[in-house]
Amino acid sequence: MLLKGFLVAFALVGLVQAASLSQDERIRYDNFSVFKVRYETQEQRSRLRSLVEEQNNFKHWGAIKDELHLMVSPGVLSQFKTELQRANLSAEVMISNVQELIDSEKEADSRASADESFGWKKYSTLAEIYAWLDGILAAYPTVTEEFIVGQSYEGRTIRGIKISYKSGNPGVLIESNIHANEWIASATATWLINEFLTSDDVLVRQMVETHDWYIVPVLNVDGFVYSHEKDRMWRKTRQPSADSSCIGVDPNRNFDVRWMESDGASSNPCDWNYGGPHALSEPEVQAMTDLVISLKDKINVMLAFHSYSQVLLSPYGHSSVEFPPNYDDLMAVAKAYADAVAKLPYDTVFQYGSVGGLLYPATGATIDLTYQEGIEITYTVEFRDTGHYGFILPPAHIIPNSEEALAGIMALLEKTEELGYMKSKKKL
Ligand SMILES: [Zn+2]
């Protein structure tokens, strides 16, 4: 009852306060705040979700178990607080002013740009990443090779790099930045590419040289460029909708696997989790699907890099009670990753579970496609943090986060091998 009152009150507010534009036409988030809202029942959760669906003033940022993170525009802040109290939902401020975080990230990026080299002290743009990739391909011609995933809606090339020291290795596919605003994903993917080619650590060398790596540093290229140039919080693709003025689709809800089933995506074109007008409506998602199908016989492990929450999520996305046949193995491998990260001196704790079991239904994701195509060890890896900075993770975290990814992946591959998943698939 209390919740009902809470929703009605919001519906009556009816105030749409859009984020404002700055002089250079970047979208600003002055005094937008992010709240952690704890809920106890799935009903409360779905009511919070419908609040997001109904009003542009609320954006769903992220979630960890029993907790939703909502960005609230300043015009509805006082009503939000009042109604939370009335509904007996507990919430705490996670970020008081989103724009301040964006500004400090930008300052750190421009300070780091002053020394000109491609480093991991700042978040790089797509142009910088591609120029750096050209340099890597030129510098390591015998062990690297470019592959083209496809073209984006706006006509950009989605590029990938294969790293292979000998033929016949088991394969690892890494997809990164399918969600545009999760900049730590491509920062970590590029750091790993560099480490794989330059590290002189014996164990790293052994891991790198006994696997074939297929890495796509930025899949959602249009959204990524838009997130750098116009809207730091942009998540989706950039294809306009035929039914709405809202642009873009959540590409990680657009794969043709149980698309839109089980409340696993939104049918509202304005929602961050919009599943699209039909499965595979986004050219980037079609291109990634084609890549997975063309490589599936060579790939034993697939990882999709995301932020934030510090979790490893296995299939399935559609159900909280149905699990893949090798779920116990998936959890043993995820535990190896989490344990390896825990051994580093950063006090970073990773949880693990299936998408549907640990979080909530999310369908049409890459990992459900890769699993369906026979890649049995596959995860969404949600990097730092658990909700202090969320998507706007300061660049000082790039290297520690990347070190955690390296240690985690080394342990994950070792456990995968131990459980017998690294055999050549063609011989099976
Ligand atoms: Zn994501």
Side-chain angles (χ1 to χ4, degrees):
M1 281 304 282
L2 285 172
L3 262 170
K4 199 169 179 186
F6 163 75
L7 288 172
V8 168
F10 272 116
L12 290 175
V13 170
L15 241 180
V16 175
Q17 177 167 347
S20 59
L21 289 173
S22 62
Q23 275 187 329
D24 63 357
E25 294 194 332
R26 279 174 206 266
I27 290 171
R28 295 186 58 87
Y29 289 91
D30 294 297
N31 298 315
F32 279 61
S33 38
V34 181
F35 287 86
K36 293 183 183 180
V37 187
R38 301 222 166 75
Y39 59 89
E40 283 166 9
T41 67
Q42 281 308 309
E43 192 195 359
Q44 285 179 317
R45 181 190 171 268
S46 46
R47 283 176 184 271
L48 283 167
R49 284 286 306 147
S50 45
L51 178 65
V52 175
E53 291 250 345
E54 284 156 20
Q55 283 204 49
N56 258 334
N57 289 314
F58 301 93
K59 293 282 186 209
H60 175 213
W61 260 41
I64 49 180
K65 206 159 179 63
D66 305 332
E67 194 174 287
L68 272 188
H69 302 165
L70 293 185
M71 182 168 74
V72 180
S73 68
V76 294
L77 197 56
S78 57
Q79 292 94 331
F80 177 67
K81 288 179 178 169
T82 310
E83 296 304 333
L84 276 180
Q85 280 172 353
R86 203 177 289 167
N88 202 22
L89 275 165
S90 77
E92 66 179 80
V93 178
M94 175 174 140
I95 296 167
S96 58
N97 183 353
V98 171
Q99 188 60 43
E100 265 179 21
L101 270 187
I102 295 173
D103 290 346
S104 56
E105 178 186 69
K106 209 163 186 297
E107 266 170 43
D109 281 356
S110 47
R111 270 200 310 276
S113 289
D115 72 13
E116 290 197 9
S117 63
F118 187 93
W120 286 271
K121 292 178 182 160
K122 64 176 264 266
Y123 288 110
S124 298
T125 63
L126 185 70
E128 288 167 337
I129 290 172
Y130 277 4
W132 172 82
L133 203 57
D134 287 335
I136 287 287
L137 290 161
Y140 301 92
T142 56
V143 293
T144 66
E145 191 184 323
E146 179 176 28
F147 60 92
I148 302 298
V149 182
Q151 303 293 312
S152 69
Y153 171 75
E154 291 178 343
R156 293 185 178 86
T157 301
I158 305 165
R159 302 173 67 185
I161 180 171
K162 179 184 176 188
I163 300 174
S164 176
Y165 283 82
K166 64 179 170 61
S167 62
N169 281 329
V172 181
L173 172 62
I174 294 176
E175 171 210 90
S176 167
N177 260 136
I178 190 170
H179 286 146
N181 59 346
E182 297 166 0
W183 290 0
I184 188 64
S186 49
T188 302
T190 51
W191 187 90
L192 286 172
I193 292 167
N194 186 63
E195 195 69 9
F196 289 175
L197 294 165
T198 61
S199 173
D200 53 14
D201 180 284
V202 175
L203 294 176
V204 173
R205 288 258 53 85
Q206 191 195 356
M207 173 194 72
V208 171
E209 295 178 16
T210 54
H211 297 84
D212 285 350
W213 303 86
Y214 300 83
I215 303 174
V216 182
V218 183
L219 178 61
N220 180 4
V221 283
D222 294 350
F224 188 71
V225 168
Y226 194 79
S227 74
H228 273 271
E229 292 180 355
K230 296 288 180 194
D231 182 355
R232 175 65 182 87
M233 297 317 305
W234 193 261
R235 168 186 174 93
K236 301 194 284 184
T237 57
R238 290 296 303 164
Q239 180 163 217
S241 161
D243 320 309
S244 163
S245 59
C246 290
I247 288 175
V249 166
D250 182 339
N252 208 37
R253 301 288 186 280
N254 191 239
F255 286 88
D256 192 10
V257 186
R258 295 181 180 271
W259 179 78
M260 292 296 282
E261 275 184 32
S262 311
D263 201 20
S266 171
S267 55
N268 176 355
C270 299
D271 195 279
W272 276 16
N273 293 125
Y274 176 45
H278 54 84
L280 302 179
S281 60
E282 305 312 287
E284 301 82 0
V285 175
Q286 180 67 62
M288 187 64 196
T289 299
D290 295 344
L291 180 76
V292 168
I293 289 170
S294 72
L295 288 178
K296 64 181 181 180
D297 291 338
K298 296 175 182 163
I299 302 295
N300 301 67
V301 173
M302 190 274 177
L303 304 173
F305 286 177
H306 288 252
S307 73
Y308 59 89
S309 292
Q310 294 173 199
V311 289
L312 256 75
L313 299 168
S314 82
Y316 300 127
H318 68 276
S319 170
S320 60
V321 291
E322 194 184 327
F323 298 94
N326 66 332
Y327 181 70
D328 290 347
D329 286 351
L330 280 163
M331 291 304 101
V333 171
K335 181 178 186 303
Y337 185 108
D339 289 351
V341 172
K343 283 188 192 136
L344 295 176
Y346 300 123
D347 293 329
T348 304
V349 176
F350 267 78
Q351 295 184 300
Y352 44 89
S354 72
V355 173
L358 190 66
L359 294 182
Y360 44 80
T363 56
T366 320
I367 60 163
D368 280 324
L369 172 75
T370 46
Y371 193 82
Q372 175 183 277
E373 295 300 329
I375 301 167
E376 290 178 292
I377 300 294
T378 188
Y379 305 90
T380 290
V381 185
E382 300 273 4
F383 290 137
R384 291 185 181 199
D385 56 14
T386 53
H388 189 69
Y389 299 106
F391 298 115
I392 316 168
L393 191 69
H397 285 255
I398 296 173
I399 290 173
N401 186 80
S402 300
E403 290 169 356
E404 288 168 358
L406 178 64
I409 290 169
M410 287 173 73
L412 176 150
L413 294 181
E414 200 179 313
K415 193 71 183 173
T416 302
E417 162 92 66
E418 190 187 312
L419 293 174
Y421 288 92
M422 288 303 196
K423 297 183 185 88
S424 167
K425 298 176 98 180
K426 286 206 170 130
K427 288 179 199 152
L428 290 176

